[in-house]
């Protein structure tokens, strides 16, 4: 049960002597906007400063109605900033200097208003100006708001636009909200935020120099020039994994079946149609691969014969003869050597037992198991509900989360495996 242990230990480790100074070289700017969840950021600050991070807070005027600057100054031992034009002798260019000096900017909580401002290029106060200077790569956004606000199409459009630009998000969770309703919109847990910041501060380049080969999307197995067998895969999970690996400094080749998705910035795209083409493309790139992630929903069967011309409709039923397609991941089990192999398992019954079997059969390090019948999981949705299982049998069940956040979480676990070959990562993640 390595993952379960890892999770429990992560929580405990925050207070262990070993971890106390782990972020001591790191500078973090926390932007607080005016939502009731702003009181929770105090605990986030507490835990991050316990880990040694130097934290400074910049808060909006609305946020100061919920938590005072004095509270943040006491917790961080640094001035908490609000005013664009300071009267206290501080330099007037601090909206540029401060975000440039820090390693990361965490916006927590991020209100619908602030998200709207960032997405539309508005910089009308100190925090929004600093966010504009910091840019997408340096910034993590932690939204919290009422469910109706979160699902307002304008807010969703703004969030999507920011994700496209490369802003990292820690998605809000489900629960009882300050307005006494239940729904999605609750600030992510302190544990989740601290753990993500820790990883983002320490490991943004964890995959530098590593070659990822990621497959995505469905395959199409043609029976004639017009008709084909396929499945409902959208490719969203595989593309999100490519983006997540790229954001951690990896080189990424993305072998994809037909999708309508945009190529992730920086990925090398190889487009294929059917399982045989996908196998060929994987095998060509495999020798230079360090980490193989097979997220594609490869068809298991293809027509024995594909007709060159359109099969004429007749009066009688038509019987199709199908053959097995190559098991791409399984066929590489013996050539794996030092590589890391990650597979996916999608089932409607006996999910975990089958996923465990697949780990052994396909010689995998990790398998991501998702049950198609669970709400929020599956092919065409933007969210997924999965259990990640490792080769030693440890498992970690994750709540419903966006495919993009899930991709980052999967990459964190891949980093733990890379870490077994690099002491720095080993001591910090895979304890
Ligand atoms: O054997 P099963 O299809 O359940 O295993 C799923 C995993 O194997 C996925 O990671 C999928 O991408 C991969 N796969 C493959 N070749 C196939 C079918 C699935 O590599 N023909």
């Amino acid at each position: 049960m390595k993952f379960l242990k890892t999770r429990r230990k992560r929580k405990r480790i925050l207070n262990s002597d070993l971890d106390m100074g782990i972020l001591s070289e790191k500078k973090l700017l926390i932007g607080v906007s005016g939502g009731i969840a702003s009181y929770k950021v105090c605990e986030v600050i507490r835990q991050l400063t316990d880990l040694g991070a130097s934290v400074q807070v910049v808060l909006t005027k609305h946020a100061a109605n919920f938590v005072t600057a004095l509270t943040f100054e006491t917790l961080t031992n640094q001035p908490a900033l609000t005013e664009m034009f300071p009267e206290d002798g501080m330099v007037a260019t601090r909206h540029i200097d401060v975000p440039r000096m820090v390693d990361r900017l965490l916006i927590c909580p991020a209100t619908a208003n602030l998200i709207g401002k960032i997405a539309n290029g508005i910089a009308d106060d100190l925090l929004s100006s600093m966010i504009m200077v910091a840019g997408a790569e340096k910034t993590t956004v932690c939204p919290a708001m009422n469910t109706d606000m979160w699902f307002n199409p304008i807010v969703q459009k703004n969030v999507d636009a920011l994700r496209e630009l490369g802003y990292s998000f820690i998605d809000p969770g489900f629960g009882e909200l300050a307005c006494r309703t239940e729904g999605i919109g609750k600030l992510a847990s302190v544990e989740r935020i601290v753990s993500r910041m820790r990883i983002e501060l320490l490991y943004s380049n964890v995959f530098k120099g590593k070659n990822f080969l990621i497959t995505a999307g469905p395959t199409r197995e043609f029976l004639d020039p017009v008709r084909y067998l396929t499945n409902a895969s959208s490719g969203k999970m595989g593309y999100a994994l490519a983006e997540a690996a790229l954001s951690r400094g990896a080189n990424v080749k993305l072998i994809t079946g037909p999708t309508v998705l945009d190529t992730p910035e920086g990925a090398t795209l190889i487009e294929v149609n059917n399982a045989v083409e996908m196998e060929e493309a994987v095998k060509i790139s495999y020798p230079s691969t360090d980490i193989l992630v097979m997220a594609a929903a490869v068809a298991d069967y293809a027509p024995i014969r594909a007709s060159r011309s359109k099969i004429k409709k007749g009066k009688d039923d038509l019987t199709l003869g199908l053959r097995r397609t190559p098991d791409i991941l399984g066929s590489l089990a013996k050539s794996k050597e030092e590589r890391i192999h990650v597979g996916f398992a999608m089932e409607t019954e006996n999910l975990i037992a089958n996923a465990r079997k697949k780990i052994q059969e396909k010689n995998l390090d990790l398998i991501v198991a998702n049950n198609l019948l669970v709400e929020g999981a599956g092919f065409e949705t933007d969210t997924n509900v999965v259990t990640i299982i490792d080769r030693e049998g440890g498992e970690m069940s994750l709540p419903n989360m966006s495919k993009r956040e899930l991709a980052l979480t999967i990459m964190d676990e891949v980093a733990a495996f890379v870490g077994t070959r690099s002491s720095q990562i080993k001591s910090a993640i895979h304890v």
Side-chain angles (χ1 to χ4, degrees):
M1 288 289 166
K2 194 162 64 186
F3 281 125
L4 286 178
K5 271 195 214 147
T6 307
R7 280 187 108 197
R8 262 189 251 118
K9 275 190 181 168
R10 259 187 207 163
K11 225 177 177 181
R12 221 183 310 130
I13 231 163
L14 294 175
N15 302 318
S16 82
D17 291 344
L18 192 75
D19 249 37
M20 279 304 178
I22 200 160
L23 297 180
S24 61
E25 311 266 284
K26 302 295 174 188
K27 289 196 178 73
L28 179 66
L29 183 63
I30 301 190
V32 183
S33 57
I36 177 64
S38 53
Y39 78 92
K40 294 183 184 163
V41 79
C42 297
E43 184 56 27
V44 172
I45 294 171
R46 192 66 204 233
Q47 295 202 11
L48 288 167
T49 51
D50 270 0
L51 293 173
S54 154
V55 177
Q56 183 160 30
V57 169
V58 50
L59 65 162
T60 63
K61 292 213 167 98
H62 284 136
N65 287 312
F66 289 103
V67 184
T68 66
L70 183 64
T71 307
F72 292 126
E73 287 180 352
T74 312
L75 287 169
T76 61
N77 216 11
Q78 298 204 51
L81 312 174
T82 321
E83 298 299 327
M84 185 76 194
F85 303 106
E87 289 168 7
D88 53 9
M90 289 181 84
V91 283
T93 55
R94 61 185 182 171
H95 67 289
I96 296 167
D97 306 333
V98 175
R100 274 194 186 153
M101 263 161 24
V102 296
D103 296 294
R104 273 206 89 71
L105 166 59
L106 167 70
I107 309 169
C108 180
T111 56
N113 177 51
L114 185 59
I115 290 171
K117 287 209 287 189
I118 314 171
N120 289 284
I122 296 170
D124 62 352
D125 63 2
L126 185 61
L127 175 55
S128 50
S129 305
M130 285 181 167
I131 294 169
M132 195 172 273
V133 173
E137 267 193 18
K138 231 187 204 184
T139 307
T140 306
V141 187
C142 245
M145 64 197 75
N146 156 276
T147 310
D148 293 338
M149 290 172 94
W150 175 247
F151 284 112
N152 183 306
I154 298 174
V155 174
Q156 287 298 312
K157 193 173 132 228
N158 289 336
V159 169
D160 285 347
L162 292 177
R163 288 194 211 267
E164 284 302 316
L165 288 169
Y167 285 84
S168 159
F169 272 75
I170 307 178
D171 295 327
F174 177 89
E176 192 185 337
L177 305 171
C179 52
R180 299 281 169 233
T181 54
E182 258 203 352
I184 292 181
K186 196 179 166 74
L187 187 75
S189 69
V190 170
E191 189 197 358
R192 225 167 106 202
I193 297 169
V194 171
S195 137
R196 261 289 284 286
M197 290 324 293
R198 189 184 148 117
I199 284 163
E200 289 189 351
L201 284 165
L202 287 174
Y203 308 117
S204 60
N205 264 336
V206 74
F207 295 139
K208 201 152 198 78
K210 298 282 176 205
N211 295 327
F212 275 68
L213 186 58
I214 300 176
T215 65
T219 61
R220 284 179 182 170
E221 312 299 333
F222 279 85
L223 45 135
D224 70 15
V226 188
R227 307 172 178 108
Y228 52 82
L229 297 179
T230 190
N231 55 64
S233 170
S234 62
K236 285 178 186 167
M237 192 67 241
Y239 277 58
L241 285 160
E243 281 172 6
L246 286 162
S247 76
R248 301 261 193 276
N251 307 318
V252 175
K253 263 190 198 162
L254 179 60
I255 299 179
T256 179
T259 76
V260 293
L261 304 173
D262 294 332
T263 308
E265 191 60 45
T268 305
L269 196 77
I270 301 165
E271 291 175 291
V272 297
N273 263 310
N274 57 37
V276 170
E277 284 175 21
M278 186 168 278
E279 184 188 37
E280 274 169 22
V282 168
K283 290 201 164 153
I284 288 169
S285 297
Y286 189 71
S288 59
T289 295
D290 299 304
I291 294 136
L292 171 66
V293 183
M294 280 288 309
V298 188
D300 290 320
Y301 294 94
I304 292 172
R305 262 183 305 279
S307 164
R308 279 174 194 272
S309 49
K310 188 180 170 206
I311 300 168
K312 275 306 256 182
K313 169 170 67 186
K315 282 207 180 83
D316 298 329
D317 292 344
L318 178 72
T319 305
L320 274 182
L322 300 178
R323 61 171 166 78
R324 274 299 315 261
T325 53
D327 180 350
I328 306 170
L329 197 50
S331 71
L332 293 168
K334 288 210 174 80
S335 341
K336 183 174 170 291
E337 297 173 348
E338 289 302 298
R339 293 179 188 85
I340 295 167
H341 281 192
V342 182
F344 277 70
M346 187 170 268
E347 306 269 352
T348 48
E349 51 202 31
N350 301 327
L351 175 67
I352 302 297
N354 284 332
R356 285 181 187 283
K357 222 165 90 191
K358 253 172 240 177
I359 283 207
Q360 302 307 327
E361 284 168 4
K362 301 196 185 203
N363 191 15
L364 305 179
D365 296 286
L366 290 173
I367 194 156
V368 182
N370 58 342
N371 185 338
L372 270 178
L373 301 182
V374 173
E375 203 190 320
F379 276 133
E380 278 166 347
T381 55
D382 286 329
T383 57
N384 215 346
V385 187
V386 308
T387 299
I388 305 178
I389 305 172
D390 76 358
R391 60 182 305 132
E392 285 155 34
E395 68 178 61
M396 175 165 71
S397 294
L398 296 169
N400 182 324
M401 55 172 72
S402 70
K403 285 183 176 165
R404 280 191 159 122
E405 190 179 350
L406 174 59
L408 288 168
T409 308
I410 293 168
M411 286 302 157
D412 293 343
E413 297 310 329
V414 173
F417 271 94
V418 175
T420 58
R421 295 170 188 105
S422 142
S423 58
Q424 189 207 13
I425 301 161
K426 186 182 174 188
S427 60
I429 299 188
H430 210 76
V431 258

